[in-house]
Amino acid sequence: MSVLAVFAAIAIALIPRGREQAERMKCRDCLKALGQAPRIFADDHGGKFPYGATNSLAFTNETAAWLHYTAMWQEIIAPIPLACPADRGRYTNRADFFTTSRTITNEAGEIVRFTSSREGSGASLRALNEIQNRGVSYFIALETDAASHPSALLMGDRDLSTNTASVRGNVLAFGSSNPPSWTSLIHRDGGNLLFVDGSVEWTTTSQLHQRVATNGVANNRLLMPW
């Protein structure tokens, strides 16, 4: 095999890794931008996140992750996607969810047809109301107060395995003794997490377990977009 052929083979082998790294970074940037929305929302609602704000669409809601994002729609600045670019099959553009005409089965099992829209965020909000969790990659923690646990999990990639964690409906509950682990559904070897203080970290499973053990939250409750 020639030297050029060897270099070509190496370059081809590195392409998937390069794409994965780029998707991780885009996912991180997306979460960082999305993280501004709950803090702005809390500033306008007495320090409460949508789950804890009595006048919120998502007040005490523990079934629909997408509804929490709908509640913060005014605070989510376009074009922040609600889906990770590595999450195949989920839509990745908030300002214009649908770039071509297509059909999708919503959570009620109904076939819905969409076409490319240029109507801005209003059209996207209607689309999210239709496709619901199928347009969202990120869990949202059922935290009520923006100041209660700055190092608590707030959002993150949805590819968490349950392990021994408790699952009730769409809520994943766990503590330091039974934390979940990352799967390879979205990313390889880890996932991105957004914390209440606005910081974003890429974590492996062992790092995730360490953060859960030290975040000061006895009972983490994550609403998953499953």
Side-chain angles (χ1 to χ4, degrees):
M1 182 180 292
S2 69
V3 173
L4 287 178
V6 171
F7 279 120
I10 293 173
I12 292 172
L14 290 176
I15 289 174
R17 283 290 185 177
R19 182 174 62 246
E20 290 173 7
Q21 184 65 25
E23 288 174 341
R24 287 183 187 182
M25 294 178 66
K26 288 180 181 178
C27 176
R28 179 201 63 196
D29 292 344
C30 173
L31 275 174
K32 187 73 174 177
L34 274 177
Q36 299 178 33
R39 296 200 302 277
I40 296 172
F41 183 96
D43 287 343
D44 294 335
H45 293 81
K48 301 293 185 182
F49 291 137
Y51 180 71
T54 56
N55 61 343
S56 164
L57 289 173
F59 178 57
T60 68
N61 179 279
E62 299 186 1
T63 60
W66 65 274
L67 193 60
H68 290 248
Y69 291 98
T70 300
M72 297 186 293
W73 204 255
Q74 295 300 319
E75 289 77 27
I76 297 176
I77 303 171
I80 301 171
L82 298 179
C84 170
D87 194 354
R88 307 294 186 251
R90 300 262 162 131
Y91 296 106
T92 57
N93 191 309
R94 171 200 183 272
D96 183 2
F97 272 103
F98 311 104
T99 56
T100 58
S101 177
R102 69 184 74 188
T103 59
I104 187 171
T105 303
N106 66 17
E107 293 180 347
E110 302 164 332
I111 302 297
V112 182
R113 184 172 182 82
F114 295 99
T115 56
S116 180
S117 170
R118 299 297 174 189
E119 298 178 49
S121 61
S124 297
L125 180 56
R126 290 195 297 274
L128 182 60
N129 288 337
E130 289 285 350
I131 64 175
Q132 302 179 1
N133 279 346
R134 290 175 64 90
V136 178
S137 286
Y138 304 114
F139 69 73
I140 188 160
L142 298 178
E143 286 282 334
T144 60
D145 194 324
S148 57
H149 300 104
S151 60
L153 304 179
L154 183 56
M155 297 178 186
D157 287 312
R158 66 185 179 92
D159 56 329
L160 290 171
S161 69
T162 58
N163 289 344
T164 57
S166 171
V167 180
R168 185 173 183 178
N170 288 345
V171 177
L172 180 66
F174 55 89
S176 59
S177 63
N178 63 336
S181 299
W182 293 113
T183 73
S184 58
L185 176 66
I186 299 178
H187 300 290
R188 189 201 304 258
D189 303 326
N192 283 306
L193 296 172
L194 169 77
F195 300 91
V196 169
D197 65 4
S199 62
V200 177
E201 289 184 15
W202 169 265
T203 62
T204 62
T205 288
S206 61
Q207 290 168 334
L208 168 62
H209 291 178
Q210 183 178 13
R211 289 306 302 256
V212 170
T214 59
N215 69 1
V217 181
N219 184 24
N220 298 267
R221 301 174 69 241
L222 311 181
L223 184 55
M224 309 298 294
W226 288 334

